[in-house]
Amino acid sequence: MDPEYTVMGRVARRIWATAMKEKYGANERSQKLKYHIQTSGRSLHAQEIQFNDIRTTLQALIAIYDNCNSLHTNAFDEAITTPTEDSVRRAMAIQLIINREWGLAKNENPSQGAFIIEELTELVEEAVLAEFERIAERGGVLGAMETGFQRGKIQDESMHYEMLKHTGELPIIGVNTFRNPKGDTMPETIELARSSEEEKQSQLTRLADFHTRHAAQAPVQLKRLQQAVIHNTNVFDVLMDAVRVCSLGQITNALFEVGGQYRRNM
């Protein structure tokens, strides 16, 4: 795990508060960022998959120390398949044990004031703001998307990470270093979570029933939503009403009609 993961929340809160106050003139309550953390999917490896729980535990500890408002811990087998009931229970136990058994986690900001934390915060914030400037130079988020800037950065980073794994420059226990001398310990059979045909038809039946019950109200709310987008008013406020009578597909198509649909340049 890169050291900057330790201060991501701190950096996000600092940038959010500054932007909300200086750019938008938001009040004090709006300057307080609430954020969700999900542990790193990139750190889940098919080799020695049981070790993934160890990595996830440390990531969860970092997130809780950094005062995240909600947390999702990945199941160890997500590198291979949809999580099983047992692996999800283990992932949930990580959070429970940290919150209920790990004494230091009962205190807020246990790392605050440490030199490494303060220094990392400054360095990561500087790097994030520099990235913002590069995006702004390309016409903002939408302009940068037209040239594939964000996608290119993600792909470059992914390739760089895979190369470090392949060459061994980035040591990963059980993957490219400290390999098991007895060979891979992956189970011969892995339970795959898949919906049955009965479950699929049940979902489709309930969706059709939802459409029928709200056939009269849905067009009105969808029109309201489109008008909110066109006139640049509070879309989220209208969405809260729309989701009561409209399905996700209906809302998505309505937004496509007024905002267009993104297509990646090849």
Side-chain angles (χ1 to χ4, degrees):
M1 287 294 293
D2 299 321
E4 53 262 34
Y5 279 83
T6 309
V7 298
M8 280 186 174
R10 293 167 58 87
V11 171
R13 287 192 295 268
R14 184 185 289 188
I15 292 176
W16 174 273
T18 302
M20 294 299 289
K21 179 181 179 181
E22 303 298 337
K23 184 174 179 62
Y24 300 104
N27 59 32
E28 183 179 346
R29 186 170 183 269
S30 298
Q31 295 170 29
K32 297 177 180 178
L33 172 66
K34 291 185 177 181
Y35 70 101
H36 170 77
I37 286 288
Q38 178 163 343
T39 55
S40 173
R42 190 179 77 170
S43 71
L44 301 177
H45 303 286
Q47 302 94 329
E48 301 274 14
I49 60 174
Q50 294 85 354
F51 290 1
N52 289 336
D53 271 344
I54 301 171
R55 298 182 177 101
T56 296
T57 299
L58 295 172
Q59 294 158 15
L61 194 62
I62 286 173
I64 290 171
Y65 278 4
D66 207 11
N67 299 302
C68 67
N69 298 95
S70 63
L71 172 65
H72 172 93
T73 37
N74 287 328
F76 75 93
D77 54 358
E78 287 188 52
I80 300 172
T81 182
T82 306
T84 62
E85 184 176 346
D86 288 341
S87 68
V88 169
R89 179 171 171 77
R90 286 174 61 168
M92 192 66 228
I94 291 172
Q95 296 193 41
L96 291 171
I97 291 169
I98 291 174
N99 285 323
R100 308 240 175 168
E101 298 182 22
W102 189 251
L104 190 60
K106 299 180 185 297
N107 300 275
E108 290 189 5
N109 293 323
S111 304
Q112 185 166 311
F115 171 79
I116 183 61
I117 298 297
E118 299 299 328
E119 186 69 10
L120 273 175
T121 302
E122 297 288 343
L123 291 172
V124 175
E125 181 185 19
E126 182 180 353
V128 170
L129 293 175
E131 200 65 38
F132 283 177
E133 290 180 0
R134 284 188 280 270
I135 291 174
E137 290 169 357
R138 290 163 172 78
V141 172
L142 294 178
M145 286 174 64
E146 290 297 323
T147 61
F149 177 73
Q150 296 96 322
R151 177 177 289 273
K153 294 284 285 187
I154 293 170
Q155 290 174 336
D156 289 345
E157 174 63 23
S158 178
M159 178 63 73
H160 178 64
Y161 175 71
E162 292 300 323
M163 284 297 297
L164 293 179
K165 280 174 56 179
H166 180 72
T167 62
E169 293 177 73
L170 178 65
I172 300 176
I173 309 303
V175 176
N176 59 18
T177 187
F178 294 103
R179 300 284 299 275
N180 190 336
K182 298 179 181 179
D184 201 345
T185 58
M186 187 184 302
E188 292 184 5
T189 58
I190 299 174
E191 179 185 347
L192 299 178
R194 298 289 185 268
S195 297
S196 65
E197 183 63 25
E198 182 182 359
E199 290 170 330
K200 175 184 175 181
Q201 293 304 322
S202 173
Q203 177 65 25
L204 291 173
T205 300
R206 285 185 285 120
L207 177 62
D209 178 61
F210 180 85
H211 284 164
T212 301
R213 283 186 287 113
H214 301 293
Q217 305 111 302
V220 177
Q221 292 297 336
L222 292 173
K223 190 67 177 179
R224 279 188 63 212
L225 180 60
Q226 291 177 325
Q227 289 300 312
V229 173
I230 292 171
H231 297 294
N232 198 30
T233 55
N234 191 336
V235 175
F236 190 80
D237 185 42
V238 182
L239 268 175
M240 293 297 289
D241 294 329
V243 294
R244 291 181 170 86
V245 296
C246 306
S247 67
L248 177 60
Q250 290 175 311
I251 291 172
T252 301
N253 289 327
L255 293 175
F256 283 161
E257 289 177 7
V258 294
Q261 186 173 357
Y262 175 72
R263 285 287 185 268
R264 179 165 66 94
N265 292 330
M266 300 299 291

